Amino acid sequence: MRLAVPLLCLCAVTACDSSGESGRADAETNGVAQPEHWRVEIQLPDVALPLGLRMSADFTEAWFENGAEKVIVPDIQQDGNHLRLRFPSFNTTLDLQLDGDRFNGSLSLSKLGYEQVMPVQGWRGETHRFSAQAEAAVDVTGRWEVGFTDDEGNQSMAVAEFDQQGSQLSGTFLTPTGDYRYLAGEVDGRQLKLSTFDGAHAFVFTAGMQQDGELSGDFWSGTRWHERWQARRNFDASLPDPYSLTYLKEGYDGLAFRFPDLDGQPVSLADEKYQGKVVLVTLSGTWCPNCADEVAFLSGYFRDNRHRGLEIITLLYEHYEEFELAAAQGKALRDEYSIEYDLLVAGLSDKTLAAETLPMLNRVLAFPTMIFVDRAGEVRRIHTGFTGPGTGRHYTEFVAGFEQTMDELLAEPASGMDR
């Protein structure tokens, strides 16, 4: 799939105070108290991850900032000087101890089989992300062909799109299995720095522009993951067609499964509820921000189109073997996004194990994955990954293509069709 030619438009809107005063300068607007600026650093093993946080003076409202993105904290608990910020559907917790205009604490991220814990500190009133006075010596705006190499030597490809305004930088990486969502940072001298925290991922990218114009640097994720990356400008950089990567194996002509819903009741695609309907089956997980982007889109789409004969079934692959724990995560996701379609607990968040639950697929390459099933029960298309709103116009193009496919499937007659 060739990426759209025009540059991804992601405006750098990192928190800054043009008055030169501290974040308290905008604590009141027209007599109404506004959330205050905090600068946060999450300490990964080899690098600090900086980002902006806005919190109301009474600590009842908070959100993290990644450029144009506001990551709203859905659950805030306060006990004296102890503050707990929680993302229930991600099972992520920040425990913070307030001390005047500072706080210290920890970030806990739930992963499959273990937990990542990282030190956190914050300063009230500071509005810069990486550097207080960055000065760019180069401009990295444009499309880049990227190669990642992990510490085991495994390689993967991506396309990066950056938008630089002065020293401020925003952008993302698109890959065959999804995108890295909203990244924000700066260019200081010849050094590129980007970071994000979206409630589940803690990412830092750094790179230097070499004399030949290429970028070379490092990518850190949480407490365990590191990759080297290199990039060169390539206006025609492309990725594989996401509709070509996952498909039915030879000998299979449809999709079949039976998994429990969040109340433990077995659900099958062969159930009467789905007969004669267009059914979109998604492979997902509550721990996955790309999946959350997909859920945010599908939740509204389903409400607007269910009357046309549409059903959606999301198969959740979670970090927990215990059904009760996995179902609890599913219920938190359902409540957060007001989901009205079916959520089933399908297994663990391991792609190899997930593929064993759906043996008709050649593989499970990505969470999320969309499987389009027509009214006759035939699998018509499979889309690997999700191109989310952090990709700008690519998201708009994905939505247009998705709606066209669904319109075609929903327009087909339902009479005389049985699964």
Side-chain angles (χ1 to χ4, degrees), residues 26-30 32-37 54-57 61 63:
D26 71 344
E28 189 171 298
T29 302
N30 297 326
V32 179
Q34 300 295 309
E36 298 173 307
H37 287 282
R54 300 292 296 273
M55 288 197 294
S56 59
E61 180 183 13
W63 68 81

Side-chain angles (χ1 to χ4, degrees), residues 53-180:
L53 169 65
R54 300 292 296 273
M55 288 197 294
S56 59
D58 60 1
F59 304 112
T60 60
E61 180 183 13
W63 68 81
F64 290 94
E65 297 176 323
N66 299 307
E69 181 186 38
K70 291 173 60 174
V71 183
I72 296 173
V73 181
D75 183 9
I76 304 173
Q77 303 168 16
Q78 184 181 9
D79 183 7
N81 289 329
H82 178 250
L83 198 63
R84 174 167 288 181
L85 309 182
R86 294 187 64 247
F87 295 85
S89 63
F90 291 145
N91 201 17
T92 294
T93 302
L94 291 99
D95 281 302
L96 310 175
Q97 190 67 30
L98 299 166
D99 183 11
D101 289 340
R102 295 195 60 180
F103 63 67
N104 288 278
S106 63
L107 164 67
S108 299
L109 299 179
S110 178
K111 302 296 180 181
L112 178 59
Y114 70 101
E115 187 174 50
Q116 295 184 351
V117 180
M118 290 158 275
V120 177
Q121 56 184 334
W123 300 265
R124 190 200 313 259
E126 295 191 13
T127 58
H128 63 279
R129 197 172 184 98
F130 282 91
S131 307
Q133 295 180 327
E135 294 187 8
V138 294
D139 192 331
V140 300
T141 296
R143 178 180 288 107
W144 298 75
E145 180 181 332
V146 181
F148 287 99
T149 305
D150 68 21
D151 292 340
E152 301 298 322
N154 300 305
Q155 297 182 334
S156 59
M157 61 180 295
V159 172
E161 293 193 338
F162 301 134
D163 180 24
Q164 183 177 339
Q165 304 292 327
S167 63
Q168 300 301 295
L169 183 66
S170 61
T172 195
F173 293 82
L174 298 98
T175 80
T177 59
D179 63 89
Y180 283 71

Side-chain angles (χ1 to χ4, degrees), residues 293-329:
D293 286 339
E294 180 188 78
V295 165
F297 166 67
L298 290 180
S299 182
Y301 184 85
F302 181 69
R303 284 193 295 272
D304 293 340
N305 292 276
R306 64 190 306 176
H307 67 281
R308 302 170 65 191
L310 171 66
E311 294 290 346
I312 297 178
I313 304 173
T314 289
L315 308 182
L316 294 175
Y317 293 87
E318 294 299 307
H319 289 337
Y320 307 103
E321 290 189 77
E322 300 84 352
F323 171 80
E324 292 76 12
L325 294 176
Q329 290 302 116

Side-chain angles (χ1 to χ4, degrees), residues 356-374:
E356 293 176 0
T357 69
L358 298 170
M360 67 289 301
L361 300 180
N362 67 316
R363 57 181 170 173
V364 173
L365 183 62
F367 300 109
T369 293
M370 288 182 174
I371 305 173
F372 298 78
V373 182
D374 68 16

Side-chain angles (χ1 to χ4, degrees), residues 224-255:
R224 296 193 178 187
W225 191 254
H226 169 260
E227 291 179 306
R228 292 284 298 170
W229 65 284
Q230 293 78 38
R232 64 181 184 89
R233 292 184 193 271
N234 182 355
F235 193 71
D236 296 320
S238 63
L239 292 171
D241 181 354
Y243 286 101
S244 69
L245 301 175
T246 308
Y247 49 86
L248 293 180
K249 293 178 183 176
E250 186 175 352
Y252 289 93
D253 57 6
L255 193 65

